[in-house]
Amino acid sequence: MIFVTVGSQKFQFNRLLQKIDELIENGIIKEKVYAQIGVSDYVPRFYEYTNFMNSDSFSEMESKACILITHGGTGTIIRAVKKGKKVIAVPRLAKYGEHVDDHQLQLLRQFDDMKIIKACYDLENLAEIYKDIQNIVPIPYKSNTNRIIEGIENFLIGELKKRD
């Protein structure tokens, strides 16, 4: 099953939802698709959807899915990767009224460089990326939190030693 989520921002993401319909209609996506479409006003024709989900329902759908197709939201991506899901992420773009700026491009480049997701910067490439991700084993996500804390501790220890 594929779970599509566009988050809960106040912006639509009709482009992604329409592309999913097109891929199903053209027989590229054959498996079941379920989507959380937020405030988008595009009504999917070939897959089930809901506007919003509570966290339990969201987690349940995410757990059932083998592939998550999502906007470039950091929380959604990290949560899915931690669960070992294959993730295709599409950035929301300001020029389409999907966000106030294009910060999701930078976020996706970082995740893409780490090879923990497949970023789709152009929806015309979504079919190819979808086919490619079928044969990929997800790379486990490793948090940098401990390394960052260690760096701060070392800095503070160094500053204290300077004062002695």
Side-chain angles (χ1 to χ4, degrees):
M1 195 255 305
I2 297 171
F3 180 40
V4 178
T5 178
V6 301
S8 57
Q9 288 281 331
K10 61 182 179 180
F11 303 101
Q12 56 79 24
F13 204 3
N14 293 331
R15 273 186 322 127
L16 175 58
L17 301 172
Q18 290 168 330
K19 190 61 161 180
I20 299 293
D21 252 346
E22 180 185 312
L23 296 179
I24 294 169
E25 184 175 29
N26 293 333
I28 294 167
I29 294 178
K30 295 178 175 84
E31 58 196 294
K32 181 180 178 181
V33 174
Y34 189 85
Q36 174 271 315
I37 68 168
V39 299
S40 300
D41 55 12
Y42 177 78
V43 178
R45 298 176 302 144
F46 299 109
Y47 55 96
E48 293 181 48
Y49 69 92
T50 188
N51 291 89
F52 296 99
M53 305 172 86
N54 65 39
S55 61
D56 289 340
S57 297
F58 188 95
S59 183
E60 181 182 338
M61 292 306 292
E62 188 178 52
S63 294
K64 287 180 182 178
C66 58
I67 297 173
L68 184 82
I69 300 176
T70 183
H71 66 114
T74 306
T76 302
I77 292 170
I78 290 175
R79 196 171 42 249
V81 170
K82 282 182 176 180
K83 288 184 174 184
K85 301 301 175 181
K86 296 177 183 183
V87 177
I88 299 172
V90 182
R92 291 174 174 273
L93 299 175
K95 70 181 180 182
Y96 299 115
E98 299 163 348
H99 220 302
V100 294
D101 60 28
D102 292 339
H103 72 278
Q104 289 190 353
L105 284 170
Q106 291 86 12
L107 291 170
L108 293 188
R109 284 190 187 106
Q110 292 293 316
F111 286 125
D112 205 13
D113 288 348
M114 295 168 64
K115 306 221 182 298
I116 61 171
I117 66 159
K118 284 289 200 177
C120 179
Y121 302 106
D122 181 342
L123 278 173
E124 291 308 309
N125 299 327
L126 185 58
E128 181 182 326
I129 291 168
Y130 169 73
K131 289 175 186 175
D132 288 347
I133 207 167
Q134 302 295 321
N135 302 314
I136 292 174
V137 176
I139 295 174
Y141 175 78
K142 292 182 183 174
S143 172
N144 287 331
T145 303
N146 289 336
R147 187 172 59 88
I148 293 168
I149 292 171
E150 190 175 292
I152 293 169
E153 286 175 345
N154 288 338
F155 172 78
L156 292 174
I157 290 169
E159 290 298 307
L160 290 173
K161 285 182 180 179
K162 286 180 188 176
R163 292 182 184 179
D164 288 342

